[in-house]
Amino acid sequence: MAQQSSGLKGMCRFLLLVLVFLPREMTSSVLTVNGKTEDFTLNTVLGAEESLRCDVQNRTGDEGLLWYREQGSVDLKDKNKINSSSVCVSSISENDNGVTFTCKLQRNQSVSVSVVLNVTFAPLLSGKDIQTVEEGRSVNIVCNAKSNPQAQMTWYKNGSILSLEKNRHQVQQTSEFLQLSISKVKKSDNGTYSCVAHSSLQRQTKDFHLFVKDRAVTMPIEPIIAASVVVFLTLFFGLVARRRRIMKLCMKGEEPQRDTAL
């Protein structure tokens, strides 16, 4: 009976120890970025400055932290690596749109929180302002365009919406550019082409000037080559024939005169 009682006491002590230490063993560190425990999108604008603060929650000791911009690590000072770490993104530009910043627990990098920057900005247009093309050839007018949200794009010519001609005009649009391709260029294609981008933020326009020059008069190469060959051969054989005549005359002139006996 005493032996059973002793066994029960030992079991109770073991269970008590399990109950005491189990919560501590099962508790794991959790990360928050700007107070959020899940990945999120941060809305911002051009020229703004954003601060991202990563903190370790439920920690039982000091925890090291790592920051990444896309796949590259962010250089942090020693004091900015333990338990709490901040990254400042200043002078935000259009190139920061869609960039992901991720805070990770150093000892277990599967514990992380990511932030995607959503930078809103009006359309930004660029491209080659002036192009000259020869009549009858083809030309591409490319309007580089960046905007968030994405803008609606339209081509104008001399202030009016461009009327596209089948088999001569082709328009291609992506999230980064609007391209107008013109084949078999005519004199009537000469003019100012405007790339118009309209978003919920703003309407922007960029002008492109196309100059069509006269078709160059080209001489046929093959007849010229053939004629050159004929002239060369004629001169060559003429010189050869003349050289032979000159040689014959020289040889006659060099024959010795014979004395005639009286």
Side-chain angles (χ1 to χ4, degrees):
M1 190 73 178
Q3 193 172 13
Q4 288 181 349
S5 178
S6 177
L8 288 172
K9 288 181 179 179
M11 181 65 70
C12 289
R13 288 177 181 175
F14 174 75
L15 291 174
L16 182 61
L17 289 173
V18 169
L19 291 174
V20 170
F21 290 103
L22 184 59
R24 181 174 298 180
E25 293 298 322
M26 292 187 66
T27 300
S28 59
S29 297
V30 176
L31 295 184
T32 62
V33 173
N34 292 7
K36 300 180 186 296
T37 58
E38 302 291 337
D39 299 346
F40 66 98
T41 298
L42 179 62
N43 296 320
T44 185
V45 295
L46 292 181
E49 181 175 301
E50 299 292 347
S51 180
L52 306 176
R53 180 186 172 93
C54 182
D55 293 297
V56 184
Q57 308 294 336
N58 301 336
R59 61 184 179 86
T60 58
D62 287 341
E63 296 279 12
L65 295 172
L66 302 171
W67 272 105
Y68 289 86
R69 178 189 169 103
E70 297 295 330
Q71 303 302 317
S73 60
V74 178
D75 188 22
L76 301 172
K77 294 182 178 181
D78 292 338
K79 294 181 179 180
N80 194 26
K81 295 180 180 179
I82 307 299
N83 300 329
S84 181
S85 179
S86 296
V87 170
C88 183
V89 188
S90 60
S91 301
I92 289 176
S93 71
E94 67 275 9
N95 296 322
D96 294 315
N97 185 47
V99 171
T100 301
F101 286 85
T102 304
C103 179
K104 294 184 178 183
L105 198 65
Q106 187 172 16
R107 66 174 174 84
N108 181 5
Q109 295 190 28
S110 65
V111 179
S112 65
V113 177
S114 294
V115 185
V116 180
L117 297 184
N118 180 44
V119 185
T120 56
F121 55 96
L124 302 173
L125 308 179
S126 63
K128 189 176 181 180
D129 297 338
I130 300 174
Q131 291 192 67
T132 301
V133 63
E134 185 179 299
E135 187 179 5
R137 296 189 177 274
S138 299
V139 65
N140 294 326
I141 304 175
V142 182
C143 177
N144 300 310
K146 285 186 177 182
S147 66
N148 185 31
Q150 187 171 347
Q152 296 295 322
M153 309 286 289
T154 310
W155 279 111
Y156 283 71
K157 181 186 176 185
N158 298 332
S160 300
I161 294 178
L162 177 64
S163 179
L164 301 178
E165 293 183 27
K166 188 177 180 180
N167 300 326
R168 275 212 329 122
H169 291 155
Q170 184 177 359
V171 176
Q172 181 182 0
Q173 181 177 355
T174 70
S175 60
E176 296 182 350
F177 68 84
L178 177 70
Q179 176 176 293
L180 171 64
S181 300
I182 308 175
S183 60
K184 299 178 182 179
V185 172
K186 304 176 182 178
K187 280 287 189 178
S188 58
D189 292 321
N190 194 84
T192 299
Y193 292 79
S194 301
C195 170
V196 179
H198 186 275
S199 77
S200 57
L201 297 177
Q202 197 174 358
R203 183 179 187 269
Q204 292 284 13
T205 300
K206 179 169 178 56
D207 292 336
F208 297 84
H209 305 284
L210 181 65
F211 296 97
V212 181
K213 63 181 183 179
D214 294 333
R215 183 180 303 184
V217 178
T218 57
M219 296 294 291
I221 297 176
E222 293 182 358
I224 292 175
I225 294 175
S228 300
V229 171
V230 171
V231 171
F232 173 77
L233 292 176
T234 301
L235 292 174
F236 176 76
F237 288 117
L239 289 173
V240 170
R242 187 173 180 183
R243 182 174 180 276
R244 288 178 179 175
R245 291 180 59 189
I246 293 172
M247 291 295 294
K248 287 181 180 180
L249 290 173
C250 290
M251 290 178 65
K252 288 181 179 180
E254 291 177 357
E255 290 182 0
Q257 294 182 357
R258 296 180 179 178
D259 297 334
T260 303
L262 298 174

